[in-house]
Amino acid sequence: KNFKMSQSRTRAFNVIRAAARLKVLGARIQAEKAALQLQNDVEEVAPVSEQEPLLPSVPSVSFQQLPPLTHKSALARDFEGIKEMLMSSYINVFLFAIPVSFVSSYQGWNPVYTFSLSFLSLIPLALILGDITEDLALRFGDVVGGLINATFGNVVEIILSIAALQKNLYTVVSMSLIGSILSNLLLVLGCSFFFGGLKNKTQTFNAVGNRACSSLLFLACIGIIIPTAAEQLIPMPDSVASDLLGLRISRGAAILLLISYGCYLLFQLRTHRDYFSPAPTPGQGEEEHEDVEIPMLSLPTASLFLGIITIIVAICSEFLTGSIEQVSSKTGLGEAFLGMIVLPIAGNACEHITAVMVAMKNKMDLAIGVAVGSSIQIALFAIPLVVVVGWATGHPFSLSFDSFSVLVVTVSVLHCNVITGDSVSHWMLGTQLIVVYGLVALAYLFR
């Protein structure tokens, strides 16, 4: 909740929250005008009161003696900004599930109830977390803002994975991370192409930036294939030695992938920023986006709100992962299906809504940046980060996944590269991506 989200995701959120920001800006301007008008009124009345006071018993008042309107207006802007974040989407109605999930967990209700309530809680939390992250990123510029978004953009997936890792649910960890890649790459991007194509017959996007993202995704696939193949194909004395070989290669590969992600941030946010800048659509200039890039919250309020939401996400993730084994046994759904299909829906709700809305506004560069950019962040940052965290905490999580999952993610990346190769999209291409995601979900449902 999105690793930058990068420059594209920042602009995507700006488009969606433009009306809210204009409302907050209007309130700020009205407060300043009211203060200025009051000052002018005091200055106009003062000379008259010196010559012929209308009310001699009332002491004269100067503008400096008025209450500190700036502090009140700042608090009012923060309140208005938080209100807009909480009330701007119907999805936030699921916030009611947060206190109920707490009660369910501590009162020992049916694990299915605890899982469902925690799952519903994470959806609006991911959306709000994305809003706060983007709001913080606006005040620091593209580079630092990109790093902030990169750190907190997929915090729901990372917290979920680390919580499952601490419970030794390695299958859930690997499936949820791969599922996040597939969800963004197939479902989110497919819906963006589909709904954008229904409203705009044919849409185009930046070819150079798309090729760079496609090559990075395939690099991530290679980083997963090599440890998996080494563990399964290189002859070793026993299975323990094979597992140790895969673990050592995975830890080295994780460090290299993290370095690659750092280079990607530098490439995207500093040295080749223009490659990822969306071209203005006909009749629209970049100035209209510049006008609305104003933070809705003050820095202390945004930081405090971010910390509170992150803590709640961590608690709900703990409830969810703590009940997943019992839910699997009671419902008959495998842990692989829950991790691959169900959990990514909660973490990717923010990206899904954002990408579809901007695609319908014919801003495909922004939609590509949200969907594909989030996949890159999971593949090059979240997955190797979990490997490193497991290394530091004594949990032997590796990049050696099962062969079927590696095949699925590699074929999906190749299919996506073929579809986006000519930098033109329409609704039929979106249908193909959605169908591929349906095939993957079907395979894991009966696995």
Side-chain angles (χ1 to χ4, degrees), residues 324-400:
I324 197 168
E325 288 182 308
Q326 294 172 300
V327 170
S328 178
S329 62
K330 287 180 176 294
T331 62
L333 298 174
E335 292 182 8
F337 178 80
L338 293 174
M340 176 71 76
I341 305 300
V342 178
L343 295 186
I345 294 176
N348 295 330
C350 180
E351 288 90 341
H352 204 151
I353 297 170
T354 302
V356 171
M357 291 186 67
V358 298
M360 293 179 68
K361 296 179 180 181
N362 201 24
K363 302 178 186 297
M364 286 308 299
D365 285 289
L366 304 183
I368 293 287
V370 171
V372 179
S374 184
S375 297
I376 292 174
Q377 291 157 15
I378 293 293
L380 292 181
F381 182 84
I383 292 180
L385 177 65
V386 173
V387 173
V388 173
V389 170
W391 188 4
T393 58
H395 294 83
F397 179 73
S398 72
L399 296 175
S400 179

Side-chain angles (χ1 to χ4, degrees), residues 38 81 85 100 219 225 238 270 295 314 328 333 338 360 439 442:
L38 185 57
M85 288 183 180
V100 184
L219 170 64
I225 290 173
D238 50 41
R270 175 68 72 179
S328 178
L333 298 174
L338 293 174
M360 293 179 68
L439 292 172
L442 193 64

Side-chain angles (χ1 to χ4, degrees), residues 354-437:
T354 302
V356 171
M357 291 186 67
V358 298
M360 293 179 68
K361 296 179 180 181
N362 201 24
K363 302 178 186 297
M364 286 308 299
D365 285 289
L366 304 183
I368 293 287
V370 171
V372 179
S374 184
S375 297
I376 292 174
Q377 291 157 15
I378 293 293
L380 292 181
F381 182 84
I383 292 180
L385 177 65
V386 173
V387 173
V388 173
V389 170
W391 188 4
T393 58
H395 294 83
F397 179 73
S398 72
L399 296 175
S400 179
F401 301 150
D402 67 279
S403 302
F404 181 72
S405 298
V406 174
L407 175 65
V408 166
V409 71
T410 303
V411 171
S412 299
V413 168
L414 290 175
H415 180 62
C416 184
N417 290 350
V418 171
I419 281 184
T420 60
D422 59 355
S423 302
V424 177
S425 67
H426 45 76
W427 70 265
M428 187 59 196
L429 295 180
T431 302
Q432 295 176 35
L433 291 172
I434 296 173
V435 168
V436 172
Y437 187 76

